[in-house]
């Protein structure tokens, strides 16, 4: 009997384990060695035939230069071919076709699909309906995992070991999907993450929470680094040994580490004007003056590009500027990824893989609480028949059940738990509702439950009295 292969997608950097990322980089190194341009070492200059007869589809609902062109170049360099829908105005999206239907159809036309979409969590929805691997080429403000692969590969090529590397991330940390994938990976590989956000553009709360809860990063008290690095807003380190981890999130841990003052990497991001109304007037600008201090003398300056003024062009000739090489590595990195996704003998489809996150129960309902993120794909009116209210159940926080959206991975809180059959609800009680049954339904508030036609359950004492009289205790 033919062996059944797994369908592996790349919707988040956490869909790959650390070992799988290392393996992909070894492959990208080999591709550069075998197919590199002899005069320009970071450029692929020759072609192979490992993807001959295979097709890559680019479905881009948002503008792109690097991601789409480097994926298509990568496929051509592997001997494969591309089909491309680069503008939703010229595809059947303009007639109102859903993403779910589009990827079901495109799965019959291609062997792998790269998707870029303005909605957070779109790649996860696409993965539910596709029958070929979906690669997230950037979904809203959620993640951009292949950009992170390029970023990490660039640091590898610059001989920068990630463990204890001081990496400063600057700019729009709230809306930049490249940053969200990047900081998860930095924590997983043990780098020190130094946050230097533009005013009001810090990491989203759920991303900061995941650094601690899922990846073991710990915030360092400001007093430990403020003298040398006053511009750093927050600093996370990942202790080497698990016993150094604090047991509960939110408790200031005793992080006893010595932080070097040298900054090894400055990762610059632009203001995401497509997602927010206006940038702050004092948006950080990285230029020769900024990098003048001795602590930046050996730094590598990275930027996912495009840049729009936050990274001075006068730095382009500086030995520390690596952003154009970073963009060039998009080709060998994406070649290696395509090979690993398409190779049925030795590729990712052989293994379950992915980063081992804490085990969590799935809550999945058609009705009840909805994702709190207004830009999540679940709120796209076109997709309403294709999405469910699916959440990973996080540890409860006092009187609320914390829920993480399966699609966009942002967090929502339920203060009320109901019963779908009896159509009644009560305040959330961790001991009663920790294990949801198919009839458990969460609501954000009592008002939401009432609006959905649920009635408040009578207190236990009244139910018991009514039960003794053989009456139905709860209102219908
Ligand atoms: N870095 C990046 O995603 O660039 P594009 O938007 O041009 O694809």
């Amino acid at each position: 009997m033919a062996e059944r292969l797994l369908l592996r997608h790349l919707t988040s950097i956490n869909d790959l384990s650390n070992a799988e990322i290392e393996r992909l980089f070894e492959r990208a190194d080999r591709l550069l060695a075998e197919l590199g341009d002899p005069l320009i070492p970071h450029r692929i200059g020759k072609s192979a035939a490992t993807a001959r007869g295979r097709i890559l589809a680019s479905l881009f609902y948002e503008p792109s230069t690097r991601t789409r062109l480097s994926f298509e170049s990568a496929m051509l360099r592997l001997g494969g071919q591309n089909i491309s829908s680069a503008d939703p105005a010229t595809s059947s999206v303009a007639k109102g076709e859903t993403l779910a239907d589009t990827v079901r159809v495109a799965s019959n036309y291609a062997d792998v699909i790269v998707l870029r979409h303005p909605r957070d969590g779109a790649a996860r929805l696409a993965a539910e309906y596709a029958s070929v691997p979906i690669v997230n080429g950037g979904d809203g403000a959620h993640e951009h995992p292949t950009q992170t692969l390029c970023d990490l590969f660039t640091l590898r090529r610059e001989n920068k070991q990630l463990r204890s590397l001081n990496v400063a991330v600057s700019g729009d940390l709230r809306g930049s999907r490249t940053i969200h994938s990047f900081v998860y990976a930095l924590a997983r590989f043990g780098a020190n993450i130094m946050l230097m956000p533009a005013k009001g553009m810090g990491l989203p709360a759920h991303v900061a929470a995941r650094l601690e809860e899922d990846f073991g990063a710990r915030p360092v008290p400001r007093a430990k680094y403020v003298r040398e690095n006053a511009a750093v807003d927050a600093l996370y380190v990942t202790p080497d040994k698990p016993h150094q981890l604090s047991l509960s999130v939110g408790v200031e841990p005793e992080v006893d580490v010595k932080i070097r003052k040298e900054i090894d990497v400055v990762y610059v991001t632009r203001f995401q004007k497509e997602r927010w109304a206006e940038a702050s007037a004092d948006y950080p600008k990285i230029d020769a003056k900024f990098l003048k201090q001795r602590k930046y003398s050996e730094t590598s300056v990275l930027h996912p590009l495009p840049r729009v003024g936050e990274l001075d062009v006068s730095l382009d000739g500086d030995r520390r500027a690596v952003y154009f090489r970073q963009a060039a590595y998009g080709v060998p990195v994406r070649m290696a990824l395509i090979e690993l996704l398409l190779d049925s003998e030795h590729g990712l489809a052989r293994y379950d893989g992915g980063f081992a996150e804490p085990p969590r129960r799935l809550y999945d309902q058609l009705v009840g609480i909805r994702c709190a993120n207004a830009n999540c794909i679940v709120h796209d009116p076109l997709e309403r028949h294709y999405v469910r209210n699916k959440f990973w159940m996080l540890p409860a926080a006092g009187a609320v059940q914390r829920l993480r959206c399966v699609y966009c991975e942002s967090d929502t809180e339920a203060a009320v738990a109901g019963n779908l059959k009896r159509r009644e609800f009560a305040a959330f009680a961790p001991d009663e509702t920790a294990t949801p049954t198919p009839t458990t339904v969460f609501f954000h508030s009592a008002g939401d439950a009432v609006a959905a036609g649920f009635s408040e359950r009578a207190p236990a004492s009244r139910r018991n009295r009514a039960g003794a009289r053989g009456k139905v205790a709860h209102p219908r």
Side-chain angles (χ1 to χ4, degrees), residues 417-426 432 439 453-476:
N419 183 294
L420 206 50
K421 254 198 199 150
R422 298 198 293 267
R423 299 197 74 75
E424 61 178 20
F425 70 88
E432 278 183 47
T439 59
F454 283 63
S455 309
E456 188 158 12
R457 189 172 63 174
S461 53
R462 259 178 51 203
R463 286 205 313 276
N464 291 344
R465 281 201 302 276
R469 291 195 302 269
K471 287 185 185 159
V472 178
H474 42 79
R476 298 249 164 209

Side-chain angles (χ1 to χ4, degrees), residues 15 28 47 95 106 132 161 185 196 219 250 279 281 290 334 344 347 415 433 440 452:
D15 288 339
S47 296
K95 302 174 203 159
V132 297
Q161 301 287 329
M196 293 170 49
F290 178 92
R334 289 173 172 126
S344 56
T433 39
T440 304

Side-chain angles (χ1 to χ4, degrees), residues 162-173:
L162 289 173
R163 164 74 41 208
S164 300
L165 198 70
N166 282 346
V167 182
V169 291
S170 153
D172 183 356
L173 312 188

Side-chain angles (χ1 to χ4, degrees), residues 59-63 85-86 88 93 97-99 102 115-118:
L59 293 181
F60 277 59
Y61 292 65
E62 261 191 351
S85 172
V93 175
E97 184 162 41
T98 62
L99 175 62
T102 302
L115 173 75
R116 171 166 291 188
H117 199 281

